[in-house]
């Protein structure tokens, strides 16, 4: 785009800026911007970069804790896991690009989240994802699943970082907008954490990585707008990734980080060179001068506008200590990466760009960053759906059929077809992953007797029914899942996926969910240290179900004391920790068996969650349990089936409640754990539970080769397994 473009109201609107926002730009500059400056304002003030609709609400989150080294505001969050080790992690969305171009959209989502992590000095050690697709019968779902899974596997496998878990759901609410949320966890030393704040005056600014091309221009703006029937035309705004270059970039950056050459470092993510340079300058309180002629370019005749707004992948920006330039050149050239000195820090507080010896941009940094719009959008939190008494919900006439239908349903079915495409064991430290069917992945800290546990969770149907309770539940379930493997939950990252915030009902969903999430974080001392907001996930005015995905990280301090779903033994007793009242509102049973999506979701009592979870971790560390599994989607019956399938051993459920049979089996009451224990542990567990005020009771036994419940179902494991495994292979065949 030429710098001679006349700035008209139409051009302003094309850049996603409102009339009011443009008036602010005129005020801040004291003049009309040129096209380069307008483009820079447009991406920095986009929803994706500025968080203009969400910032004031995100500030409510608990962000500090005893183990928090760095909370929100940097590329990723940092937590202390003892012995001088730090975990650096974040979750981020790549929703819009993945719908338009599923392979590249998902692949570059993985690449981008890894750069956020190794930018701070961490070697990536694990990847996870949270995926939402439309209903399986929709004409586009198969294509999208195939492309997204291939993109995630293709990028992660080539870089050599294990993809160890995640979640995949299907619902008609995602027909027009799929969600691809990627999470990366990295390992660093606490004394080798790197930050993005540029310091000093006259320090050299280095560009490293791949050359800049025309791919991804206006990617941030595209991600800040809803779709319509012409969204396919936005394909050119999707970036193209190269995992092999990313691998070289990781190694080169980590090598340079072993020296004392780096003052500041920032990856070029959304808005590319624009956001990276502005964020570094703003955080450090300096200005920057960049000579665009020195930027490595992949294509001829690139304009300043194109170079600044390109989102070409595998690129980093660094401020290097004076005198260390030669060292930087040597390391990056050794790894066969493009490297160039493109500018310097200044004391002006301005972004100045030169191109062909002419100044093509001269604007203050502050209005582009912290002074960006911070909107107080009106909102109306939706009223929760009414409570449905379980006795008013029809009982199935065929429990065998009901169990098989739920076990074979899109959300509950085996995701083997997906995870078999991911390398789960590269780097050799994966102790548990998606293939076990357990609650959290476990990654050993290399050559040490400790591990981190990782999980991602969200139950959108709960958030849809009651944003506040649903928000609490998202956080609580990650906390439970980490607890199931014996980890001490430390902190979360999140990816908040919602529709158009200009609608009061959507903004109300967002605010309600945050209120619930924050309450849970404070109850568990479980802070938010990083995250991402993805808004405008809707097509032709139809929004996605509200989906605040949460990624949790915990520490297993001693690998002698951890648990999983896979330790159940013949003759074990099944004990339920937590009360079963048979809550069926917004349940899987209601949706899959009765084709209803109504009713208030199960309430989340955070005090009970805390008491029960602490008790489970104590049992694990006292070696009182053989297997532990969170009781969530589908209730006790589904938790028991998953335990049976993982261990290839039967279970026999024995009724222990006065609630209706279908509610007892399929109710989704919260704060519950299904544990498998040896006979000699039964009485001590029941006794100590009572002493602690924990509800604990026998619900069955382990043994045989059938999955059965008295008065309900009785099926061979092989029959349940076949139904459980078939959905995705049949869909993708």
């Amino acid at each position: 785009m030429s710098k001679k473009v006349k700035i008209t109201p139409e051009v302003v609107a094309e850049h996603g800026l409102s009339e009011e926002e443009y008036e602010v730009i005129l005020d801040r500059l004291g003049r009309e911007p040129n096209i380069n400056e307008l483009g820079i304002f447009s991406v920095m003030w986009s929803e994706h970069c500025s968080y203009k609709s969400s910032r004031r609400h995100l500030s409510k989150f608990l962000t500090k804790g005893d183990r928090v080294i760095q909370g929100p505001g940097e590329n990723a969050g940092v937590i202390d896991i003892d012995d001088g080790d730090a975990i650096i992690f974040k979750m981020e969305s790549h929703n819009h690009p993945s719908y338009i171009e599923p392979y590249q959209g998902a692949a570059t989502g993985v690449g981008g989240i890894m750069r956020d992590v190794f930018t701070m000095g961490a070697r990536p050690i694990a990847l996870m994802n949270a995926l939402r697709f439309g209903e399986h019968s929709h004409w586009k779902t198969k294509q999208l699943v195939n492309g997204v899974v291939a993109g995630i596997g293709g990028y992660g496998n080539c870089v050599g970082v294990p993809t160890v878990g995640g979640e995949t759901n299907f619902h008609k609410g995602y027909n027009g907008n799929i969600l691809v949320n990627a999470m990366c966890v990295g390992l660093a030393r606490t004394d080798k954490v790197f930050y993005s704040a540029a310091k000093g005056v006259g320090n050299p600014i280095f560009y490293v990585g791949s050359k800049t091309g025309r791919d991804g221009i206006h990617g941030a703006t595209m991600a800040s707008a809803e779709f319509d029937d012409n969204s396919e035309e936005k394909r050119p705004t999707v970036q193209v990734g190269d995992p092999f270059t990313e691998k070289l970039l990781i190694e080169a950056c980590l090598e340079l980080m072993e020296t004392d050459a780096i003052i500041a470092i920032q990856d070029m993510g959304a808005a590319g060179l624009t956001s990276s340079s502005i964020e570094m300058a703003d955080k450090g309180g300096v200005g920057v001068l960049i000579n665009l002629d020195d930027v490595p370019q992949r294509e001829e005749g690139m304009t300043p506008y194109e170079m600044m707004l390109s989102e070409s992948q595998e690129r980093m920006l660094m401020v290097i200590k004076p005198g260390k330039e030669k060292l930087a050149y040597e390391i990056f050239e050794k790894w066969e990466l493009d490297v160039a000195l493109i500018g310097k820090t200044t004391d002006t507080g301005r972004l100045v760009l030169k191109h062909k010896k002419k100044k093509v941009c001269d604007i203050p940094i502050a209005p582009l960053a912290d002074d960006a719009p911070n909107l107080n959008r009106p909102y109306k939190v939706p009223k929760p759906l009414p409570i449905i008494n379980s006795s008013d919900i029809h009982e199935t006439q065929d429990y065998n059929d009901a169990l098989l239908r739920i076990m074979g349903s899109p959300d509950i079915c085996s995701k083997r077809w997906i995870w078999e495409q991911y390398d789960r064991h590269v780097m050799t430290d994966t102790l548990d992953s998606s293939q076990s069917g357990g609650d959290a992945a476990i990654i050993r800290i290399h050559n040490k007797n400790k591990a981190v546990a990782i999980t991602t969770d969200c139950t959108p149907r709960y958030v849809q029914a009651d944003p506040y309770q649903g928000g609490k539940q998202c956080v609580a379930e990650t906390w439970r899942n980490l607890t199931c493997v014996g980890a001490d939950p430390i902190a979360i990252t999140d990816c908040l996926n919602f529709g158009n915030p200009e609608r009061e009902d959507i903004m109300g969903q967002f605010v309600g969910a945050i209120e619930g999430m924050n309450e849970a974080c404070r109850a568990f001392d479980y802070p938010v240290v990083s995250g991402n907001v993805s808004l405008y996930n809707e097509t032709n005015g139809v929004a996605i179900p509200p989906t605040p995905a949460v990624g949790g990280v915990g520490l297993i301090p001693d690998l002698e004391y951890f648990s999983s779903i896979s330790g159940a033994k013949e003759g074990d007793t099944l004990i339920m920790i937590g009360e079963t009242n048979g809550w069926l509102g917004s349940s899987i049973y209601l949706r899959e068996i009765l084709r209803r999506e109504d009713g208030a979701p199960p309430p989340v009592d955070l005090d009970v969650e805390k008491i029960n979870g602490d008790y489970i971790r104590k049992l694990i560390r006292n070696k009182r349990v053989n297997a532990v599994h969170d009781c969530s989607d589908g209730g006790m019956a589904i938790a028991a089936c998953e335990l049976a399938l993982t261990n290839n051993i039967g279970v026999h459920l024995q009724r222990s409640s006065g609630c209706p049979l279908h509610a007892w089996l399929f109710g989704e009451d919260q704060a519950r754990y299904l544990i498998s224990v040896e006979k000699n542990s039964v009485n001590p567990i029941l006794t100590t539970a009572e002493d602690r005020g924990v509800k604990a009771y026998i619900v069955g036994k382990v043994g045989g080769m059938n999955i059965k419940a008295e008065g309900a179902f009785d099926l061979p494991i092989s029959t349940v397994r076949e139904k459980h495994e078939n959905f995705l292979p049949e869909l993708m065949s």
Side-chain angles (χ1 to χ4, degrees):
M1 187 174 290
S2 169
K3 63 180 182 296
K4 297 180 181 179
V5 173
K6 181 177 174 60
I7 308 300
T8 65
E10 291 75 22
V11 170
V12 172
E14 286 171 1
H15 282 75
L17 294 164
S18 68
E19 292 180 12
E20 294 79 8
E21 288 171 336
Y22 186 63
E23 288 298 320
V24 175
I25 292 171
L26 293 177
D27 178 71
R28 297 292 192 270
L29 294 182
R31 58 175 173 82
E32 186 178 87
N34 63 38
I35 192 63
N36 304 315
E37 295 165 339
L38 185 71
I40 287 168
F41 269 102
S42 80
V43 293
M44 292 306 298
W45 285 13
S46 69
E47 197 73 60
H48 192 77
C49 292
S50 73
Y51 292 77
K52 59 188 175 186
S53 296
S54 58
R55 284 211 316 274
R56 63 178 59 244
H57 300 289
L58 297 175
S59 66
K60 302 171 185 175
F61 277 138
L62 173 71
T63 59
K64 300 183 184 299
D66 292 342
R67 290 185 176 270
V68 176
I69 296 173
Q70 175 64 53
E74 270 291 341
N75 287 288
V78 187
I79 57 174
D80 190 327
I81 60 164
D82 301 330
D83 311 311
D85 294 322
I87 289 294
I88 299 179
F89 67 105
K90 187 182 182 182
M91 179 187 282
E92 202 162 64
S93 64
H94 228 220
N95 302 333
H96 289 63
S98 298
Y99 183 80
I100 295 170
E101 186 66 66
Y103 184 94
Q104 291 295 347
T108 52
V110 173
I113 197 63
M114 280 197 286
R115 286 194 298 281
D116 279 337
V117 167
F118 75 74
T119 294
M120 298 191 69
R123 178 173 293 282
I125 60 172
L127 294 164
M128 290 195 121
N129 51 72
L131 312 177
R132 267 85 189 181
F133 298 102
E135 57 191 339
H136 66 278
S137 57
H138 189 265
W139 67 272
K140 202 168 182 178
T141 296
K142 180 178 177 179
Q143 171 206 345
L144 291 168
V145 172
N146 195 59
V148 165
V149 172
I152 292 170
Y155 204 101
N157 296 354
C158 289
V159 175
V161 178
T163 301
V164 295
E167 54 178 348
T168 304
N169 297 149
F170 297 82
H171 189 273
K172 63 184 179 183
Y174 304 103
N175 282 349
N177 291 81
I178 65 171
L179 302 184
V180 176
N181 297 171
M183 179 176 173
C184 181
V185 175
L187 177 65
R189 299 294 294 172
T190 55
D191 60 351
K192 283 285 187 179
V193 177
F194 290 79
Y195 299 95
S196 58
K199 300 288 187 181
V201 175
N203 292 329
I205 299 174
F206 271 65
Y207 171 119
V208 300
S210 295
K211 289 181 171 66
T212 294
R214 291 188 170 96
D215 52 323
I217 294 173
H218 279 303
T221 307
M222 180 267 291
S224 305
E226 63 182 84
F227 283 165
D228 55 30
D229 292 332
N230 299 315
S231 294
E232 293 289 331
E233 297 174 3
K234 297 177 179 179
R235 196 176 296 272
T237 62
V238 178
Q239 313 91 331
V240 178
D242 179 355
F244 300 104
T245 299
E246 180 102 342
K247 175 64 174 174
L248 298 176
L249 190 59
I250 292 172
E251 299 303 333
C253 288
L254 292 177
E255 182 173 338
L256 187 62
M257 287 169 171
E258 288 298 314
T259 73
D260 64 345
I262 298 175
I263 295 174
I265 181 169
Q266 177 78 26
D267 82 295
M268 295 192 213
L273 188 54
T274 290
S275 63
S276 57
S277 57
I278 289 168
E279 288 171 7
M280 291 176 76
D282 179 66
K283 289 174 182 175
V286 299
V288 292
L289 170 64
I290 295 176
N291 187 348
L292 293 173
D293 297 322
D294 295 329
V295 172
Q297 297 163 55
R298 193 169 67 233
E299 302 177 47
E300 294 183 2
M302 291 192 71
T303 65
Y305 182 98
E306 291 171 328
M307 281 186 272
M308 291 303 294
L309 270 62
S310 167
E311 294 185 6
S312 296
Q313 298 291 285
E314 295 84 40
R315 301 181 299 158
M316 309 287 280
L317 203 62
M318 300 180 181
V319 179
I320 300 294
K321 290 182 179 178
K324 300 291 184 178
E325 296 92 338
K326 183 173 181 292
L327 175 63
Y329 276 116
E330 287 175 349
I331 289 175
F332 287 105
E333 287 171 352
K334 181 185 81 172
W335 289 99
E336 299 182 346
L337 294 164
D338 283 287
V339 54
L341 173 60
I342 66 168
K344 64 181 181 180
T345 58
T346 69
D347 61 358
T348 65
R350 302 181 73 84
L351 172 67
V352 178
L353 306 177
K354 292 186 175 181
H355 184 241
K356 296 182 178 180
K357 299 182 179 180
K358 294 182 179 178
K359 189 184 291 185
V360 295
C361 172
D362 187 352
I363 51 181
I365 297 288
L368 294 164
D370 285 344
D371 194 30
N374 187 4
L375 305 179
N376 187 15
R377 293 196 183 278
Y379 64 89
K380 186 176 182 180
V381 178
K383 288 185 179 179
L385 294 181
I387 294 172
I388 303 176
N389 193 310
S390 61
S391 59
D392 295 331
I393 294 175
H394 292 302
E395 180 180 7
T396 180
Q397 298 305 301
D398 188 338
Y399 278 95
N400 282 348
D401 177 70
L403 185 71
L404 292 175
R405 282 168 61 185
I406 293 174
M407 288 297 291
S409 65
D411 283 4
I412 302 297
C413 73
S414 168
K415 305 304 186 298
R416 177 187 297 273
W417 185 90
I418 294 174
W419 55 253
E420 281 188 338
Q421 298 185 53
Y422 305 151
D423 190 334
R424 304 171 306 284
H425 297 287
V426 64
M427 301 181 78
T428 71
D429 284 314
T430 303
L431 301 182
D432 201 4
S433 69
S434 48
Q435 70 186 80
S436 78
D439 297 280
I442 303 173
I443 308 297
R444 185 201 312 268
I445 303 304
H446 195 62
N447 289 331
K448 296 186 179 180
N449 192 44
K450 63 182 180 182
V452 288
I454 317 163
T455 186
T456 59
D457 283 290
C458 181
T459 311
R461 63 184 187 276
Y462 291 174
V463 189
Q464 183 88 55
D466 183 342
Y468 171 69
Q469 288 293 341
K472 285 200 293 185
Q473 195 273 342
C474 293
V475 173
E477 189 165 352
T478 69
W479 195 83
R480 283 200 302 271
N481 286 344
L482 296 174
T483 294
C484 283
V485 298
D488 295 317
I490 295 176
I492 67 170
T493 182
D494 58 46
C495 194
L496 308 177
N497 308 273
F498 291 79
N500 186 343
E502 297 164 41
R503 291 167 48 187
E504 289 189 4
D505 59 329
I506 299 297
M507 201 63 208
Q509 290 176 342
F510 183 83
V511 173
I514 282 182
E515 296 285 356
M517 293 173 67
N518 184 47
E519 188 172 331
C521 289
R522 293 181 184 276
F524 302 144
D525 193 18
Y526 191 39
V528 180
V529 296
S530 62
N532 170 241
V533 176
S534 176
L535 301 176
Y536 294 96
N537 291 288
E538 57 183 74
T539 299
N540 295 327
V542 179
I544 61 163
T547 311
V550 176
V553 176
L555 174 66
I556 300 174
D558 187 340
L559 282 172
E560 187 177 347
Y561 305 100
F562 77 96
S563 186
S564 74
I565 192 176
S566 58
K569 299 176 182 178
E570 181 84 28
D572 276 2
T573 298
L574 292 174
I575 295 176
M576 181 65 73
I577 303 296
E579 191 163 8
T580 298
N581 293 310
W583 196 283
L584 288 174
S586 291
S587 66
I588 288 286
Y589 174 87
L590 203 64
R591 189 179 76 192
E592 297 299 328
I593 305 304
L594 301 181
R595 304 302 179 196
R596 293 170 55 181
E597 297 187 45
D598 61 332
V604 181
D605 187 321
L606 297 171
D607 292 334
V608 175
E609 290 276 7
K610 181 75 166 57
I611 292 169
N612 290 2
D614 290 348
Y615 182 60
I616 287 290
R617 284 193 303 279
K618 183 175 179 63
L619 292 179
I620 292 170
R621 290 176 187 175
N622 288 338
K623 295 189 174 183
R624 285 292 190 182
V625 297
N626 289 336
V628 184
H629 191 28
D630 170 39
C631 198
S632 53
D633 287 349
M636 184 192 314
I638 302 311
C641 282
E642 290 168 344
L643 185 143
L645 293 177
T646 297
N647 293 278
N648 198 34
I649 190 169
V651 296
H652 183 189
L653 296 176
Q654 300 157 350
R655 195 167 177 186
S656 59
S657 167
C659 65
L661 179 59
H662 61 302
W664 179 72
L665 288 168
F666 300 111
E668 296 180 6
D669 306 88
Q670 299 294 291
R672 293 189 300 162
Y673 303 80
L674 184 65
I675 62 176
S676 178
V677 307
E678 295 176 6
K679 289 180 181 179
N680 61 3
S681 290
V682 172
N683 286 335
I685 288 173
L686 297 179
T687 300
T688 55
E690 186 177 7
D691 292 342
R692 288 170 167 260
V694 172
K695 183 76 173 178
Y697 45 100
I698 296 170
V699 294
K701 59 184 180 182
V702 177
M705 291 303 291
N706 275 28
I707 297 173
K708 54 187 177 180
E710 47 178 334
F713 46 76
D714 188 348
L715 291 161
I717 287 178
S718 57
T719 301
V720 178
R721 188 183 305 280
E722 182 181 9
K723 191 68 174 178
H724 187 56
E725 295 278 356
N726 280 352
F727 172 79
L728 274 174
E730 289 176 356
L731 173 66
M732 303 308 297
S733 63

